[in-house]
Amino acid sequence: GTKQGSIMSFFKKA
Amino acid sequence: MLELRLVQATLFKNVVEALGDLFSTAHFNSSRTGLELQAKDNSRVTLIMLLLRAEAFDHYLCDRGLSMGLNLAGMAKAFCCTNNDDIITIKAEEDWSDTVTFTFESPEDGDEISYFHFDFMVINGVPLEIPEYPESEYQAIVRMPSAKFMPICNKLSSFGDRDTVVIISVDKESVDFLSRGKTGTLTIFCRETQTVDKPKEPTLIEMKEKVSLMFDLRYMNSSKASTLSDQVTISLSSKLPAVFEYKITEMSCIRYYMLPRNE
């Protein structure tokens, strides 16, 4: 797991 | 170690140029299955993902996953003087020296070889886990030729300015693109085309329910990506980020994930 988060968390922080 | 080769540089060059226009940095993530590139805008409205599956390469060796943050704008600038028919090799060594080498070699007799070394950089917030949402999760899916979508974006942007927003509305057999400029509004109405008339370039609409969403035109107007693909697929939902997908080959695609703006 190199992934840092999910796409939804990326957009939710907008 | 990582060692990838593409016999024609065109695809990779075009992708880097297309994305380098909009994003200064990108994250390259390689695994046994393929190379994934992610770039995001700082306002958290758009995320772009390029997926090149291992089969898309002429040679693909990746024995351990590798994450590389790179300066995309700098790469686009560096690659602009290379030839489209050059053979491109991407190599990162086992010692994790924090650089990746892109080699461009002329195909005739390899009489000229350029080695571009790029330093890794720290990019916060990427890479992200991006699931494949099933089509049934979207309220509407529109498929149309890129050659049709690109002029639509151009018309919409020539009507407005850099901050123009576009409202995409899907009804049963049609899709509307509406842009608001300082002088008024422009609406472009597209009807679903009969596949019998134009079998090679249909506009297809699958709609579960009516949907109307607003986007920043700046990121939607990805004209260079349009040149890489014959078709764009626009998946819309009020609950998920919209996806503008350009399928480059069976094994590769560019996806623009965009958050609709609030009215």
Side-chain angles (χ1 to χ4, degrees):
Chain A
T2 55
K3 305 272 166 132
Q4 294 187 3
S6 76
I7 186 170
M8 288 314 279
S9 66
F10 166 75
F11 285 120
K12 268 178 193 159
K13 283 179 194 163
Chain B
M1 74 179 290
L2 175 72
E3 192 179 84
L4 321 176
R5 186 160 55 246
L6 279 169
V7 167
Q8 275 210 321
T10 320
L11 167 68
F12 198 80
K13 273 185 62 166
N14 285 346
V15 166
V16 169
E17 276 175 30
L19 303 185
D21 271 0
L22 290 170
F23 304 95
S24 56
T25 58
H27 202 277
F28 291 68
N29 210 45
S30 63
S31 66
R32 284 175 203 275
T33 53
L35 181 71
E36 188 188 293
L37 181 156
Q38 287 184 17
K40 63 184 176 61
D41 79 307
N42 292 331
S43 53
R44 290 179 172 262
V45 173
T46 309
L47 179 82
I48 291 190
M49 187 187 76
L50 162 75
L51 193 60
L52 288 170
R53 292 195 200 286
E55 295 83 7
F57 291 86
D58 301 291
H59 168 71
Y60 192 97
L61 174 68
C62 176
D63 50 14
R64 212 169 104 185
L66 178 60
S67 281
M68 306 177 278
L70 294 171
N71 182 326
L72 197 63
M75 285 172 74
K77 202 176 157 211
F79 292 166
C80 73
C81 300
T82 58
N83 297 315
N84 282 341
D85 58 353
D86 279 353
I87 300 163
I88 179 170
T89 307
I90 306 169
K91 210 167 174 180
E93 295 295 344
E94 192 71 57
D95 62 358
W96 313 116
S97 55
D98 289 352
T99 59
V100 58
T101 305
F102 287 75
T103 307
F104 284 75
E105 192 176 336
S106 73
E108 279 95 46
D109 47 9
D111 57 349
E112 186 182 317
I113 307 173
S114 308
Y115 298 91
F116 297 91
H117 302 283
F118 296 106
D119 299 330
F120 294 169
M121 48 192 292
V122 177
I123 304 174
N124 291 329
V126 283
L128 298 164
E129 195 70 53
I130 304 177
E132 294 261 350
Y133 295 108
E135 291 195 353
S136 57
E137 296 264 317
Y138 293 95
Q139 286 157 286
I141 296 175
V142 178
R143 291 183 175 84
M144 64 164 64
S146 300
K148 185 171 174 175
F149 183 62
M150 191 164 48
I152 289 174
C153 291
N154 289 341
K155 278 181 206 166
L156 293 165
S157 69
S158 62
F159 191 77
D161 54 31
R162 188 176 153 79
D163 299 319
T164 298
V165 292
V166 173
I167 298 171
I168 304 179
S169 305
V170 183
D171 205 337
K172 201 175 173 203
E173 291 171 343
S174 67
V175 53
D176 286 357
F177 298 88
L178 182 146
S179 84
R180 284 199 187 116
K182 286 195 177 90
T183 50
T185 61
L186 164 67
T187 309
I188 302 173
F189 174 85
C190 298
R191 207 187 292 277
E192 186 167 47
T193 53
Q194 295 296 318
T195 50
V196 183
D197 297 341
K198 290 183 173 178
K200 281 184 185 165
E201 42 192 69
T203 298
L204 301 171
I205 296 165
E206 287 169 47
M207 192 200 75
K208 276 201 325 198
E209 52 190 299
K210 283 187 190 180
V211 62
S212 186
L213 300 168
M214 184 157 76
F215 300 98
D216 285 293
L217 178 62
R218 191 170 10 142
Y219 293 108
M220 215 177 90
N221 192 9
S222 46
S223 51
K224 279 189 186 157
S226 302
T227 60
L228 298 171
S229 171
D230 293 337
Q231 195 186 50
V232 57
T233 303
I234 306 168
S235 305
L236 301 169
S237 159
S238 50
K239 297 185 185 72
L240 291 173
V243 189
F244 295 71
E245 182 183 277
Y246 298 90
K247 203 168 188 181
I248 302 168
T249 65
E250 276 306 309
M251 290 164 292
S252 51
C253 69
I254 293 187
R255 289 190 199 135
Y256 289 61
Y257 292 88
M258 247 176 279
L259 192 69
R261 284 173 60 129
N262 293 321
E263 289 282 348

